[in-house]
Amino acid sequence: MSNPTDFPTPTLIPVNGVVLEVFEAGQQNARNPIVLCHGWPEHAFSWRYQVPALVAAGYHVIVPNQRGYGNSSRPSEVTDYDIGQLSGDLVALLDHYGYDNATFVGHDWGAMVVWGLTLLHPDRVNKLINLSVPYQERWEKPWIEMMEVMFGDDFYFVHFNRQPGVADAVLDKNTHQFLRNMYRKNQPPVEPEPGMMMINLANAEAPLGEPVMSDGDLSVFVTSFEGSGFTASINWYRNLDRNWHLLADVNPIIQQPALMIYGDQDPVAKSERLVDFVPNVDVVNLDCGHWIQQEKPEETNQAILNWLGQHAAV
């Protein structure tokens, strides 16, 4: 297994009106870029086990802390975190390096960004690999409106939108406790209010389940969010309905070769209609929870590298 202490030193790169903290390795593998996009509440460091394996396989690995995270910019306006801006950052990052296109890999919210990027800028994505969160087909009504009807006011997606600032303050106050409780293997729902899961996690004294990472690795995430706070990253959720409108007139079918990696114990539901929207998709299931690439790094690397090897000429 890779040594996570070998994670690259970051560079601050101006793109799309913001500055991104970017970790890169394998610069000698120019013309073969792969961009790794983290989720919430994460950090580029969540890809620490994948970077060396991809470099060894001949890739120029680019891992940004996306806007709102780490030492990247944290714009003040909520709308600065919509899918147009988030995908625009990645397009501008390719421009910075002089790449016409790249392979993109996303986990959790990073997967949602990669799906959106591929819809909005299909010419900039040659292949895509997403973990945990499958393609989200367009509902009849905006996503938060639908979630409110389906799951209630306390579902955390809805709560983040309808009560801005409330969860942010709780998570900011209990950063270490929240992240310690969040990063658990096969974590069961938090009772008695599953919809309030994030606030409950921040307030829970006793961790549930086995930790995904060491205390030393956890400290990277804790230190990052103690510096940035949670509002900017939660603002991604506050643009879901806006994103629904922004994607209204986009062709919903993704034609690029795609790999979807699920964790069988992940509470995020698998898609029953993925092939309808991503016809050239392959699916891999791993025996793990939500934090796939951190919980099962060797299996994740094998799945990614095997698939990339099969699509090397694409």
Side-chain angles (χ1 to χ4, degrees):
M1 186 178 293
S2 307
N3 182 354
T5 60
D6 294 335
F7 203 66
T9 301
T11 302
L12 296 177
I13 299 176
V15 294
N16 194 32
V18 295
V19 174
L20 296 185
E21 181 182 28
V22 180
F23 304 78
E24 64 170 316
Q27 292 91 329
Q28 70 274 17
N29 302 321
R31 311 316 306 170
N32 202 14
I34 189 165
V35 183
L36 311 182
C37 302
H38 64 79
W40 185 88
E42 292 189 275
H43 185 279
F45 190 65
S46 63
W47 298 106
R48 60 197 176 280
Y49 295 114
Q50 285 65 56
V51 172
L54 288 166
V55 170
Y59 288 88
H60 177 195
V61 186
I62 301 166
V63 195
N65 264 333
Q66 298 182 80
R67 64 167 66 193
Y69 289 83
N71 291 316
S72 294
S73 297
R74 299 188 295 277
S76 58
E77 296 297 323
V78 172
T79 53
D80 286 334
Y81 299 88
D82 67 29
I83 191 60
Q85 295 293 349
L86 296 176
S87 61
D89 291 350
L90 298 177
V91 167
L93 196 58
L94 290 187
D95 291 342
H96 169 82
Y97 287 107
Y99 290 128
D100 292 333
N101 54 63
T103 298
F104 284 85
V105 185
H107 169 252
D108 183 81
W109 246 109
M112 294 176 70
V113 172
V114 171
W115 294 124
L117 167 71
T118 310
L119 292 173
L120 290 169
H121 304 279
D123 57 322
R124 307 308 295 267
V125 181
N126 56 51
K127 295 182 289 291
L128 60 153
I129 301 170
N130 279 328
L131 287 69
S132 178
V133 177
Y135 179 99
Q136 303 297 299
E137 61 184 272
R138 186 177 177 81
W139 292 347
E140 293 182 2
K141 295 181 179 180
W143 286 304
I144 296 301
E145 287 186 27
M146 288 290 288
M147 289 179 186
E148 194 167 20
V149 172
M150 295 168 64
F151 305 121
D153 295 343
D154 284 342
F155 183 60
Y156 71 98
F157 277 69
V158 179
H159 186 274
F160 286 166
N161 278 268
R162 302 298 188 238
Q163 300 188 49
V166 175
D168 318 35
V170 175
L171 302 190
D172 286 350
K173 182 180 178 181
N174 301 284
T175 299
H176 179 271
Q177 192 163 293
F178 170 61
L179 294 175
R180 177 201 64 183
N181 294 341
M182 171 70 84
Y183 286 117
R184 298 281 155 174
K185 297 181 181 179
N186 305 340
Q187 182 176 297
V190 178
E191 299 296 344
E193 298 175 279
M196 295 293 289
M197 183 175 68
M198 300 308 165
I199 289 178
N200 289 345
L201 280 173
N203 289 325
E205 292 294 337
L208 299 169
E210 182 184 350
V212 168
M213 66 185 78
S214 69
D215 289 344
D217 287 353
L218 178 63
S219 69
V220 175
F221 297 84
V222 173
T223 299
S224 175
F225 279 100
E226 285 178 343
S228 67
F230 283 89
T231 295
S233 62
I234 293 176
N235 281 343
W236 290 33
Y237 289 87
R238 295 177 176 134
N239 279 281
L240 277 169
D241 282 358
R242 180 177 172 84
N243 294 347
W244 184 88
H245 290 287
L246 288 172
L247 295 171
D249 299 321
V250 176
N251 181 350
I253 307 301
I254 287 177
Q255 297 291 353
Q256 288 88 334
L259 174 64
M260 183 69 222
I261 302 178
Y262 291 116
D264 281 336
Q265 310 304 319
D266 191 344
V268 177
K270 298 178 181 180
S271 172
E272 297 179 357
R273 301 183 59 204
L274 183 61
V275 72
D276 293 343
F277 295 92
V278 193
N280 298 308
V281 67
D282 295 301
V283 176
V284 169
N285 298 284
L286 299 179
D287 183 20
C288 61
H290 181 68
W291 313 108
I292 297 171
Q293 76 272 29
Q294 299 183 81
E295 185 176 342
K296 294 286 187 179
E298 293 177 353
E299 293 88 338
T300 301
N301 291 351
Q302 182 179 13
I304 290 173
L305 293 173
N306 287 347
W307 186 83
L308 286 172
Q310 294 166 9
H311 296 81
V314 177

